[in-house]
Amino acid sequence: MNIDDLRFDDRGLITCVVQQHDTGEVLMVAWMSRESVRLTLETGTTWFWSRSRQELWNKGATSGNMQRVIELRADCDADTLLALVDSPGPACHTGNRTCFFNALEAE
């Protein structure tokens, strides 16, 4: 499979779930553009599209918490990606290891 096989949405984006390769821990979910997928494959680090800033960003370029890509996979419909990474530092901008630290409770 290659980039041309992916099904980007009407904004030119595809969802990417980022997972620690050796533990299975889900670290974050972000959006990728065709260009960020290309950069991720070429550089071996994760690149995403910021919907709020309308620009590419290389995860960890500012914080130093780079994510080294082990493998980038597409799901069976080619409309969602899974990035298996080695992420030695926090993945969340809050400083938490994962963005998924808020447990929901029944009311």
Side-chain angles (χ1 to χ4, degrees):
M1 178 172 282
N2 62 46
I3 293 174
D4 292 333
D5 296 319
L6 298 177
R7 295 178 49 204
F8 294 89
D9 68 14
D10 57 353
R11 298 166 297 173
L13 302 175
I14 190 168
T15 304
C16 181
V17 177
V18 180
Q19 186 177 34
Q20 178 66 30
H21 77 99
D22 54 353
T23 65
E25 182 179 29
V26 176
L27 302 174
M28 58 182 284
V29 174
W31 293 93
M32 288 184 145
S33 63
R34 183 176 298 275
E35 181 69 2
S36 62
V37 172
R38 184 188 67 75
L39 286 167
T40 297
L41 291 170
E42 286 181 4
T43 66
T45 62
T46 51
W47 285 80
F48 301 105
W49 178 257
S50 170
R51 295 176 298 163
S52 60
R53 295 188 313 269
Q54 294 291 294
E55 65 183 16
L56 289 166
W57 57 285
N58 184 208
K59 177 67 178 151
T62 303
S63 68
N65 296 318
M66 303 292 289
Q67 295 174 340
R68 185 176 61 87
V69 178
I70 305 301
E71 189 174 15
L72 190 60
R73 298 179 183 175
D75 74 341
C76 56
D77 295 321
D79 63 0
T80 304
L81 297 175
L82 173 64
L84 298 173
V85 303
D86 181 28
S87 183
C92 187
H93 71 279
T94 64
N96 285 288
R97 169 84 181 136
T98 172
C99 293
F100 296 94
F101 57 88
N102 291 307
L104 295 181
E105 299 176 12
E107 293 186 43

